[in-house]
Amino acid sequence: MGKNKDLSNEKIAQVEILLKENLSMRQIGQRVGISHMSVKNIKDKLETGQPTSSRIGHCGRKRSTTTANDRYLLRSVKKMVRPTASELKREWESTGVAVSVSTVKRRLSELGCKNRAVRKVPLLTQAMKRKRLDFARKHANWTVDDWKKVLNHLERVQPDLGITDDEKDCVKIAALLHDVGHGPFSHIYEQAVNEEYPSENFHHEDMSKKILKRILEKV
């Protein structure tokens, strides 16, 4: 049974109507779902002309975060790369704010941030792996400008991928460096070495890896 100070205006109005039907306070309380003492308090206030409701403004549990906390959450969303609600919860808690994942989701909604569920994809099959390998071989000699066009196309037709600047840089670096293992006259050199020394099985991609590994060891 609720206390009088917790009663909604709707319940108080129901009590007022039932009091006019000459029902007992216990009967009214059972119908409305409150104690008979709450009914008595309302009846006394009506008879003395006092206000029946003490509610002022918004009632309910106190908000667990401040405006400053919410601004920090928004900055975290912009700073982190595709963060989950759980990750944002941990980030928020590191500042001393104790909240649930549900609270994080509500605040994000209030701040106008859209949430997306991570799409689950199946593991690559052998057929899918072969297609990817064929694609890689077919486009092994593409230039940086060629891959820039691919990135621009993906950003335009699939913005939901959320390609980051770091990912763009990785593609450009890979495009720049994948051919550093070429010898003089490019593929002609590779063909000549394999004809002269078949056991070497020379590939410029392998040489690119060795060159980069040597450079990184000296850095």
Side-chain angles (χ1 to χ4, degrees):
M1 300 292 182
K3 296 180 180 178
N4 186 43
K5 65 179 181 180
D6 297 327
L7 297 181
S8 65
N9 291 329
E10 289 78 10
K11 286 196 173 185
I12 294 173
Q14 289 176 17
V15 171
E16 291 183 32
I17 294 171
L18 293 173
L19 282 170
K20 295 176 182 179
E21 297 181 7
N22 296 320
L23 297 172
S24 69
M25 286 183 282
R26 196 171 296 278
Q27 288 174 321
I28 295 173
Q30 289 174 347
R31 288 196 182 186
V32 180
I34 61 177
S35 68
H36 69 281
M37 287 305 299
S38 294
V39 178
K40 182 180 183 303
N41 289 336
I42 295 172
K43 183 174 180 294
D44 291 343
K45 288 181 179 180
L46 287 171
E47 291 175 349
T48 57
Q50 299 179 47
T52 55
S53 176
S54 59
R55 285 194 170 200
I56 300 174
H58 178 74
C59 296
R61 190 172 66 178
K62 184 180 178 182
R63 189 179 176 90
S64 59
T65 61
T66 64
T67 303
N69 295 147
D70 296 345
R71 286 200 298 268
Y72 180 84
L73 177 65
L74 188 58
R75 288 198 300 271
S76 299
V77 171
K78 294 178 179 179
K79 179 180 67 175
M80 299 169 71
V81 179
R82 293 193 290 273
T84 64
S86 297
E87 290 171 342
L88 289 169
K89 174 181 180 292
R90 289 192 292 272
E91 176 68 20
W92 225 357
E93 287 178 339
S94 68
T95 65
V97 180
V99 292
S100 65
V101 173
S102 298
T103 299
V104 173
K105 290 179 179 180
R106 283 197 301 274
R107 294 296 181 274
L108 291 174
S109 178
E110 293 168 6
L111 293 168
C113 299
K114 295 181 179 179
N115 64 314
R116 294 184 176 90
V118 178
R119 184 167 50 187
K120 294 182 180 180
V121 296
L123 296 175
L124 294 179
T125 64
Q126 289 300 321
M128 294 165 71
K129 291 178 181 179
R130 282 196 297 273
K131 286 184 178 180
R132 280 160 174 73
L133 182 58
D134 291 341
F135 177 88
R137 287 171 174 165
K138 182 179 178 181
H139 301 87
N141 297 314
W142 272 25
T143 64
V144 175
D145 289 333
D146 291 327
W147 288 111
K148 280 183 180 178
K149 291 176 184 177
V150 173
L151 289 172
N152 293 335
H153 176 74
L154 288 174
E155 281 189 306
R156 187 171 63 255
V157 301
Q158 289 184 272
D160 56 307
L161 291 176
I163 299 173
T164 65
D165 290 338
D166 286 343
E167 290 169 335
K168 292 179 186 176
D169 289 339
C170 285
V171 172
K172 294 174 185 176
I173 291 169
L176 282 169
L177 298 178
H178 84 283
D179 271 346
V180 296
H182 268 304
F185 307 108
S186 190
H187 288 280
I188 296 176
Y189 176 84
E190 189 170 328
Q191 182 179 348
V193 170
N194 285 322
E195 287 178 357
E196 188 68 24
Y197 306 101
S199 61
E200 291 293 328
N201 194 24
F202 178 83
H203 295 287
H204 73 275
E205 294 92 347
D206 296 331
M207 185 57 67
S208 296
K209 294 176 185 177
K210 291 178 181 178
I211 292 172
L212 291 174
K213 185 176 180 180
R214 181 65 62 87
I215 291 172
L216 292 173
E217 287 175 351
K218 292 183 177 181
V219 172

